[in-house]
Amino acid sequence: MSTTLSNFNPVTTQTWTNGRHSVRCVKVIQETWDVRTFCFMAEQPVMFFFKPGQFVTLELEIDAQQIMRSYTISSSPSVPYSFSITVKRVPGGLVSNWLHDNLNEGDVLAVHGPVGNFNCIDYPAERILMLSGGVGITPLMSMARWYFDTNANVDISFVHSARSPRDIIFWRQLEFMDSRVPEFNMHVICERFETGQTWSGYRGYLTDAMLEMIAPDFMEREIFCCGPTPYMNAVKHLLRSHGFDMSRYHEESFGATPVEVEEEAIEQAEQAEVLADELDRADLTRVEFATTGKSVQIAPGETVHAAAAKLGLHIPKACGMGICGTCRVQKVSGEVAMEHNGGITDEDVADGFILSCCSVPNGDVVIDY
């Protein structure tokens, strides 16, 4: 006799791929007094596979304006049916304050990704040193959770710097992993402690002496680092002073536009003004946007994104440096020179996708937009 389980319906599970996705906030966790974790799921089951350390870009509407902001995924792909981001409230920060004050369980928003070269899958090693400062702990926590959940045979020295004991993000999870896995060694450095607080760990800032006590073999480890820019600069200075092989040093790279990039952009703009009058129409490149039926001619060196802007077409963009992957579009025909920074996968490139912010046409091109 056969039995039909009518209360079970067949489900088709999809796998996460780089692109635009609609997700629902299913949980909000208060990590510290000014840090919250936001957990997301898809309406239909989706396996959120990504490389630990990668990030997503949120598409938000704040004060009637579309805002794009990138955040590292703090959860691990070993728990694949949801993903989380962990956000620190920044004084005066438009997006972080909006998320803390407005994003609640049940809210739906769009995300782009996952993307990013900063991850532990592409740089496998038997011994790893993780260095984090403040909310920069998020990508390293994703990596640590991945190694813990998959029972990876990896020796990890996890060093986190916080302002004070009450600012230690993921404190209980780190203690749990440290207590369960002999190969996972956690060390926390607190800059200071306030009245009524007790702290028996390292105090002050990460120094050569501390690092040599915590991980005396740090010169032989693969190093992953994330934190405020001054923190990462200090770490790099420390490592270089010891002659560390910086090809084995990896850091999170998205955030504010680097000064050198801004200076290069200004220089290019000044050069463009000088050369504008000298351009012959034969030197111009035609960029056509097939969906809207619009086209424009651009000067050599201008990007597909710049071409769209001249036509009043708004291709979403967050970083402008080929990192976040937000400006991904499909190339129908023609060739481009694309210099990205991890914001697009090899599979997407093979399928004809490009990042408009860093793609310069090599001749006439047609874009599906």
Side-chain angles (χ1 to χ4, degrees), residues 139-343:
L140 303 186
M141 193 64 186
S142 178
M143 297 179 193
R145 284 169 164 164
W146 166 255
Y147 286 129
F148 180 84
D149 291 343
T150 58
N151 295 303
N153 185 24
V154 178
D155 184 304
I156 301 173
S157 184
F158 195 110
V159 185
H160 178 62
S161 295
R163 287 176 302 184
S164 72
R166 73 168 184 157
D167 295 301
I168 303 172
I169 308 170
F170 306 129
W171 177 235
R172 290 183 178 177
Q173 293 99 318
L174 288 169
E175 282 190 315
F176 176 74
M177 289 190 286
D178 184 61
S179 68
R180 298 282 292 181
V181 181
E183 297 80 16
F184 184 89
N185 296 288
M186 185 228 355
H187 307 271
V188 178
I189 305 167
C190 284
E191 177 186 341
R192 60 180 183 272
F193 59 95
E194 301 166 1
T195 303
Q197 293 179 330
T198 57
W199 181 250
S200 58
Y202 293 99
R203 302 178 186 179
Y205 299 97
L206 177 65
T207 63
D208 290 59
M210 281 186 197
L211 187 57
E212 289 174 357
M213 283 190 290
I214 292 169
D217 62 345
F218 72 91
M219 292 289 288
E220 303 165 14
R221 291 178 179 260
E222 201 80 11
I223 297 180
F224 295 88
C225 179
C226 187
T229 300
Y231 172 84
M232 292 193 293
N233 288 341
V235 168
K236 285 185 285 189
H237 177 75
L238 186 158
L239 295 175
R240 287 180 178 132
S241 70
H242 285 268
F244 184 80
D245 178 5
M246 297 304 287
S247 68
R248 301 179 63 212
Y249 169 86
H250 317 281
E251 69 178 26
E252 180 58 279
S253 57
F254 75 84
T257 304
V259 174
E260 59 269 21
V261 173
E262 293 182 352
E263 291 176 346
E264 181 181 356
I266 294 171
E267 181 180 347
Q268 290 176 349
E270 292 172 347
Q271 292 174 352
E273 290 180 5
V274 173
L275 296 174
D277 294 334
E278 301 176 8
L279 283 175
D280 188 279
R281 293 197 67 82
D283 296 325
L284 300 178
T285 299
R286 184 172 180 271
V287 181
E288 178 184 343
F289 295 90
T291 304
T292 58
K294 296 181 177 182
S295 64
V296 66
Q297 289 186 311
I298 60 174
E302 291 190 277
T303 64
V304 170
H305 200 278
K310 290 183 178 182
L311 294 170
L313 300 177
H314 176 68
I315 299 176
K317 183 180 72 170
C319 71
M321 296 179 286
I323 296 175
C324 70
T326 309
C327 64
R328 189 187 71 152
V329 292
Q330 177 100 44
K331 176 171 62 66
V332 179
S333 64
E335 299 297 328
V336 300
M338 179 171 56
E339 297 185 5
H340 66 89
N341 289 292

Side-chain angles (χ1 to χ4, degrees), residues 22-28 38-41 43 98-99 101-110:
S22 178
V23 296
R24 176 169 49 89
C25 180
V26 293
K27 187 180 296 183
V28 179
F38 300 92
C39 308
F40 300 96
M41 292 182 66
E43 293 298 336
W98 187 91
L99 291 172
D101 295 336
N102 297 279
L103 186 58
N104 300 304
E105 293 181 13
D107 291 345
V108 176
L109 53 80

